[in-house]
Amino acid sequence: MAMEKTFNAAEAESRLFSAWEEAGCFKAGANAKPEASSYCIMIPPPNVTGVLHMGHAFNNTLQDILIRWKRMQGFDTLWQPGTDHAGIATQMVVERRLAEAGEPGRRDLGREKFLEKVWDWKAQSGGTIINQLKRLGASCDFDRTAFTMSGAPGAPADEAGGNFHDAVIKVFVDMYNKGLIYRGKRLVNWDPHFETAISDLEVENIEVAGHMWHFKYPLADGVTYEYVEKDEDGNVILSETRDYISIATTRPETMLGDGAVAVHPSDERYAPIVGKLCEIPVGPKEHRRLIPIITDEYPDPDFGSGAVKITGAHDFNDYQVAKRGSIPMYRLMDTKGGMRADGAPYGDEAAKAQAHAQGAEFTETEVDAINLVPDDIRGLDRFEARKRVVQQITDEGLAVMTTQTKTVKDDDGNESEVTETVPMVENKPIMQPFGDRSKVVIEPMLTDQWFVETDKIVGPALDAVRSGKVKILPESGEKVYYNWLENIEPWCISRQLWWGHQIPVWYGPQKATLEDPEADYAPYVAFCAATEEEVAAKAKEYYGADIGIDFNRGEDELHTSTWDEGDGNKGVSLFRDPDVLDTWFSSGLWPIGTLGWPSNTQDMAKYFPTSTLVTGQDILFFWVARMMMMQLAVVDDIPFDTVYLHGLVRDAKGKKMSKSTGNVMDPLDIIDEYGADALRFSSAAMAALGGVLKLDMKRIEGYRNFGTKLWNAVRFAEMNDVYAAGAPSRAVPQASATVNQWIIGEVAKTRETVDAALEGFRFNDAANALYAFTWGKVCDWYVEFAKPLLNSDDDAIKAETRATMGWVLDQCMILLHPIMPFITEELWGQTAQRDTLLVHEDWPTYGADLVNSDADREMNWVIQTIEATRSTRAQMNVPAGSKIPMVVTDITDVNDAAFKANEALIFKLARVESLTSVATFPKGTATIAVDGATFGLPLEGVIDVAAEKARLEKSLGKLAKELGGLRGRLNNPKFAASAPEEVVAEAKANLAAREEEEAKLNDALSRLAELD
């Protein structure tokens, strides 16, 4: 049956993928040779709520290229797929669906019923992205698809992917028992919408219009000082007596929780008042707090007033200052971002804080309990509280004032200038943190959370990279890795959610409360274990073997209790910590959790440590470094030996894709229009190590055309009986014809180039080499060169050429398959009856020994001659259909023989009708210089030199104006400083292209001058 004229990707892709899966082509170990080494890639698990985006498409294409390549080489391969349970994202999706359906909300349902709804949603919609990955051609072992919540309580019995939950809980318990996990109070990113701590990666810092208010903090006890400002030369420009210190803030509502005012040790302006007290200028006057003026390296003397208020419970920089200076940190807000409304009246709370400032000792818990929000502000939204604080300070005359002049009109329309004194408020852009999903302003919040003592486990992760045991590519990634891990902070691993691995810690009252049930239960006693049975055993060990243990399964508040039924029957109700673990904690165990650990599985023995991790540079710390730390801490081994980092996929101009910009590209739409192979080849072609990833739709279209070019070459072979005798032999053909010898050598050189590129993770070099070879050498040159041989009267030559062409095209399919699996598999199956699918064809190992140096030199010289002749014709604007004579002044014997041997091809492809040897070129001859020969094209009478010269000069004149405009923009400092980076890059690229065009036109003019 003859091949179709074109490749129908829409029809073929799903059919081919089903065939691969049905044949078990992607199963772990498929196509492995006896005693093969293992090669394992763990997919960075996408969110179970996710859909395929360009980042996934790019990332997974690179992984698939590697795994298909290694599978064809005979390695024992495993590409482990799976999804992350995505705590916040999934909980948000399910809550939204409940609201849309008019069903009871999360709080109304309760924890257990709500989680049932989540599992129901996961069963219905959770596999979307996995199915979309299949459309891309991802050859994962999908039968092994893992899930970071598999095996968790409430999970359906048919939940595939093993028992990941066991691994997570075991690691927590083990690390807790080793003192590597603790509960404590630290500053975290707090999302008031979801009411949970979130990671830095879930925070988007966005520039917004902001305000900087300047306020006076009066000095206590009537203290004054001489405030002096100097210019750069030391000259006094301002000197005045002040009874206050000025601060500037973008968040006035947090002033209520100030613990100090800090200045830099070198700031001479404030030296006289360091150690003095100042008054927070808000709240009831009779309860105003006094706070110390301290020194710290953090304040910048050149920014604002140089004095910084320290609110340790609501600012990350302030938190560090407060820790260094033992400054109390007062939490002002509740979990919803409102001002606290709990606690005693403000006067009582302020007195406690003042006592602390005067030296009284308080525990961290006692300080956190103090509510320093004035009574009239309690319960307000934080932004409403901001307005009230600003108004109260201004009304009291404690805003720093400044003068401003404005133009006003009287009743008759006459304009005049009026100078007035107003509060100093700077309108300026500020970077504000937003929740990437909630879209609300994130609040730094001092809360009780669970933390990993990362400084105790970070050492081996650093050593693994420093020693070279783990390689990070590009090398710049290693510097970032070191910087993060050498300055690591404790890792917050708890989240105030319901969807996730619930922390395996239960609380009970102090033992003494068994004797006095009315006693204060706090601080609670914590019991950490994997199961309630183990917890009960630990609790009995603490309370006594005769004490009964049960579990309070309430959800909303921490509560423990004791009970006494008489007859000595006493007991304790334990309450489980309601928090769940950060998804990065569970995904940090991805390599071992997916391979069956903590069981001693064959998969662990075979595939761990894994081989290559391909992931985005943005999660080098959040995921890669944490996997390194966790695996080394848990199983004392590295999780992988190589990390390939890539950047964000951007649009053709290098601009970040965003919905607001309107430049987001949907990979499924691209696949629908151009086919998966074109998108995959584009991904490989732009994957330069450390390069910017620019996705250009024109290039994708070009790579679809590349597939069509290969398809047409194979159709040509089919029509010339290349496959008439069945599948081409896998053996390298024995060739006598120079053309066949040459193309065999080109195949060998390309195989070596591709392998070297993939070994070095230079996907772009592999793609470019295959493109140049397949399109340039095979489809363009070899097909043309082979036509005379296929039409020869010599049956032996015809048979040899058919065998060679069949083998060469098979090699094209094999070498291209990892990047373009669909069209190559389709060609493989359509051309002949094969004994294996292409996905399992052996990867070739031939090399430079197949290169015939004489044939290589001859045919590449012929190609050079034809290309140079074509280029000269085009440059001189010779009519495309004109066959013209060619002359030669000098040529080596070797090249003369080469020309004569290939004369018919050169004449046909260069559109030349004859070759004549001359002593000197006649007037009007365009010179063509190639290696070992100088040819010429006599053009007198063929082209109108004057008209051609006029055309070129006109083009140069127009080009000069464009160049002038581009150079003017780029030489303008304002343009370079203010224009977006992608706009500047585009202008530079345009200038380079125009300059190249100008050079070609000038070269053509120079050639024309030779013809005069």
Side-chain angles (χ1 to χ4, degrees), residues 910-977:
R911 307 296 291 172
V912 172
E913 63 182 9
S914 63
L915 178 67
T916 305
S917 180
V918 297
T920 58
F921 287 155
K923 183 181 178 182
T925 298
T927 302
I928 305 170
V930 297
D931 293 341
T934 305
F935 297 102
L937 291 180
L939 298 179
E940 189 171 6
V942 176
I943 63 171
D944 185 333
V945 175
E948 186 61 22
K949 184 176 180 182
R951 182 184 70 82
L952 292 172
E953 288 175 341
K954 183 178 179 180
S955 296
L956 279 167
K958 181 180 178 181
L959 196 58
K961 292 180 181 179
E962 293 183 40
L963 285 166
L966 285 167
R967 287 168 180 150
R969 290 178 72 194
L970 289 168
N971 289 332
N972 184 344
K974 291 183 179 179
F975 173 73

Side-chain angles (χ1 to χ4, degrees), residues 154-230:
D158 61 348
E159 175 61 36
N163 195 2
F164 205 98
H165 179 72
D166 280 359
V168 175
I169 297 304
K170 176 175 174 55
V171 168
F172 184 97
V173 173
D174 287 353
M175 293 182 76
Y176 176 92
N177 291 335
K178 293 175 182 175
L180 300 175
I181 287 179
Y182 70 95
R183 184 169 174 82
K185 197 178 295 292
R186 289 181 65 89
L187 204 65
V188 297
N189 295 306
W190 186 265
D191 189 315
H193 175 78
F194 292 117
E195 297 182 67
T196 181
I198 61 174
S199 71
D200 289 344
L201 195 65
E202 294 160 312
V203 177
E204 292 180 320
N205 289 295
I206 301 173
E207 186 175 87
V208 299
H211 305 283
M212 178 82 79
W213 288 268
H214 293 253
F215 298 128
K216 298 176 180 178
Y217 281 44
L219 299 176
D221 303 322
V223 170
T224 62
Y225 69 109
E226 196 67 19
Y227 177 82
V228 179
E229 281 190 8
K230 299 178 181 179

